[in-house]
Structure formats: structure tokens, C-alpha cells
Amino acid sequence: IGDPAGVGPELCLRLVREPRVLDKCTPVLFGDAGVLTAVSEFCSLPAPPPAIPYSDWQTRCSELSEPAVVDLGAMDLAALKVGWADAATGRASYKYIEAAIAAAMAGWTAP
């Protein structure tokens, strides 16, 4: 989802509801479900897709037929200020990217 304080979470929330995307794939967002919920409320968007704990991702990835959030719990929501990037959001963003790459390298995502 990129930086929790940036535009990535909002764009991802819009993407998982886009029919043209859903016709082609099942989107999976790597990030924090809590961040996406906060952004959905802040931007008056629908709630994020269901969350899967990262510890369950490997066993559940092959059964997904609907969009999902791989919840990494990397961001302290009390410290999140939507629209204001800082060191904490940078660290969370790095963890999201790292987890998505690891999942792809392990074959837990579609080609």
C-alpha cells in the first residue's frame, strides 16, 4: 500500500473495488488493515477488504477469490497522521514492500 500517510492506501482502497481490475485479478494488499480502515474513514470510502494476518498468508493465499489485506501490523495507529509522512510511516512502508517481495519470491502470489 506504500507509505501509510501517502496516497497509496487511498488508491488501493479504490483499486480493490474497480471492476476492470477485478475482471483480471484478485487484488491483495500488503499493509496494515488498521491503516486502511483509518484512511477509508478519513476519505469517506468503503471499508477495506477482509484482513489476513501475515502469519496465515502462506496457508491461505491459494484459496483467495476476493480482494484481501495481508495485515502486517507494522504501523502504530496512534502515531499515524494521514497525509504526514515520518520515520514511522517510512519503516512501515519498507515492511510492506519487504513482505510483498518475500511472498512473490516464495511463490505465494500469482505470476
Side-chain angles (χ1 to χ4, degrees), residues 52-73:
I52 300 170
Y54 185 68
S55 59
D56 295 346
W57 170 241
Q58 180 183 1
T59 57
R60 296 189 51 200
C61 64
S62 63
E63 66 191 43
L64 290 180
S65 60
E66 299 289 328
V69 177
V70 178
D71 190 10
L72 296 166

Side-chain angles (χ1 to χ4, degrees), residues 8-100:
E10 178 186 352
L11 294 174
C12 288
L13 288 168
R14 293 177 188 280
L15 171 109
V16 297
R17 305 249 185 282
E18 175 60 45
R20 292 176 295 176
V21 172
L22 298 173
D23 285 345
K24 304 225 182 286
C25 68
T26 301
V28 176
L29 308 177
F30 284 78
D32 282 338
V35 167
L36 290 166
T37 297
V39 171
S40 72
E41 292 168 2
F42 184 82
C43 296
S44 299
L45 294 170
I52 300 170
Y54 185 68
S55 59
D56 295 346
W57 170 241
Q58 180 183 1
T59 57
R60 296 189 51 200
C61 64
S62 63
E63 66 191 43
L64 290 180
S65 60
E66 299 289 328
V69 177
V70 178
D71 190 10
L72 296 166
M75 184 71 215
D76 175 9
L77 292 179
L80 177 64
K81 295 177 190 156
V82 177
W84 294 93
D86 58 23
T89 63
R91 282 189 295 276
S93 178
Y94 182 80
K95 288 182 181 183
Y96 305 158
I97 293 166
E98 204 173 37

